[in-house]
Amino acid sequence: DWTPDSFIEETVEFIKEKVGSDKVVLGLSGGVDSTVAAVLLNKAIGKNLYCIFVNNGLLRKNEFENVLNQYEGMGLNVKGVDASGRFLEALKGIEDPELKRKAIGNAFIEVFDDEAHKIEDVTWLAQGTIYPDVIESVSATGGPSATIKSHHNVGGLPDFMKLKIVEPLRAIFKDEVRRVGRSLGIDPELLGRHPFPGPGLGIRILGDITAEKVRILQEVDHIFIKGLKEWGLYDDVWQAGAMLLPVNSVGVMGDERTYEKCVALRAVESTDGMTADWVNLPYEFLQKISNDIINKVKGVNRVVYDISSKPPATIEWE
Ligand code: XMP
């Protein structure tokens, strides 16, 4: 019978045997899969595991600092790399969603490759690939590893792609990953986090991306997610976030007419992200959140709620 503890025991043995005293590099994303993979590898090989956590400047508000602290507290050998400027520079002026994704994916590969080169004699790349990623071939939800996979055909292989691959979670499903994580003593809040796309807020800002737009969306998203937690709604929702629209509309403030940004809130129920239904959040909650956003976030004067299901509407607006 499969149990988290037997899985952990067998996997730690498997990693020890496979990797021996070699060095392994792994990209952490702040998500469940890469974190559980890292803790398993850490248990097996300790300091020979080198984790890299990249700030692409498109993470949630305070996410980089918070998650990095959390990783350090877990005893992981992790290096935080703040590459926000590099990503923003690469994205400058790009409006097309596919080109934005490419720019983000390529910047990630460059940064990761640079960092991997600094680790002397590293011979393995670990990934948090789970079973559904394996069957889908191109993963939609795998964070850094998915980014790498979907871009490995761009302009020749970066050096870290020549590393041998170790994927300790490739035979198990998401709910099993969470159970393993619980058994490993990982913070339940981290294990219960909503999925968050590798390109981050970059696919929730429609049109070109600027530092100011990222700041606005981080504030809006923060109010929405914090509200979901305070109202006890967070765990009823599979994924939630906010989209910054390339639309200004008129509003009034005192005697003045304003012409400012509109944001769309999105919350969905789903099991795997392939199909999704919008969540019937209470009107009182939406009213409170809308007021908070408009009162506190400078530059936003209108909030709408997305009531479209997937298909045909996707979860992200891009
Ligand atoms: P869509 O928008 O296609 O999203 O309905 C389905 C799920 O996939 C996530 N998503 C991504 N995850 N890298 C990721 O790691 C990506 O490039 C990416 N694009 C979409 C999305 O957040 C949702 O959970």
Side-chain angles (χ1 to χ4, degrees), residues 101 140-143 146-147 195-199 203-204 238-239 273 310 314-316 318:
R101 276 176 170 281
T141 55
T147 315
F196 187 70
I203 58 174
R204 296 183 180 171
W238 188 77
Q239 186 175 19
K310 174 182 180 175
T314 51
I315 295 172
E316 309 294 347
E318 315 224 347

Side-chain angles (χ1 to χ4, degrees), residues 31-46:
V32 177
D33 304 342
S34 66
T35 305
V36 172
V39 174
L40 273 171
L41 279 142
N42 186 48
K43 221 173 145 67
I45 62 168

Side-chain angles (χ1 to χ4, degrees), residues 202-217:
I203 58 174
R204 296 183 180 171
I205 294 172
L206 281 72
D208 73 318
I209 294 171
T210 63
E212 175 64 2
K213 288 182 187 174
V214 172
R215 189 200 59 80
I216 290 177
L217 192 57

Side-chain angles (χ1 to χ4, degrees), residues 68-131:
L68 192 56
N69 280 336
Q70 201 168 8
Y71 282 145
E72 282 165 354
M74 290 158 70
L76 293 175
N77 176 15
V78 56
K79 179 168 181 193
V81 181
D82 187 356
S84 313
R86 193 159 167 178
F87 281 84
L88 271 181
E89 190 56 40
L91 283 163
K92 211 171 192 169
I94 305 180
E95 292 180 11
D96 179 82
E98 275 307 307
L99 294 180
K100 285 199 289 186
R101 276 176 170 281
K102 283 219 170 76
I104 296 168
N106 288 338
F108 181 82
I109 286 176
E110 283 171 26
V111 171
F112 194 84
D113 203 39
D114 282 357
E115 289 304 323
H117 266 109
K118 295 178 189 163
I119 308 164
E120 232 172 285
D121 300 327
V122 62
T123 46
W124 293 88
L125 172 70
Q127 301 198 96
T129 316
I130 65 174
Y131 187 64

Side-chain angles (χ1 to χ4, degrees), residues 6-31:
S6 64
F7 175 83
I8 292 167
E9 202 174 305
E10 282 165 25
T11 306
V12 166
E13 275 318 302
F14 165 82
I15 295 168
K16 278 184 180 163
E17 229 165 84
K18 187 161 176 166
V19 171
S21 55
D22 295 349
K23 292 183 184 172
V24 180
V25 61
L26 176 145
L28 281 170
S29 72

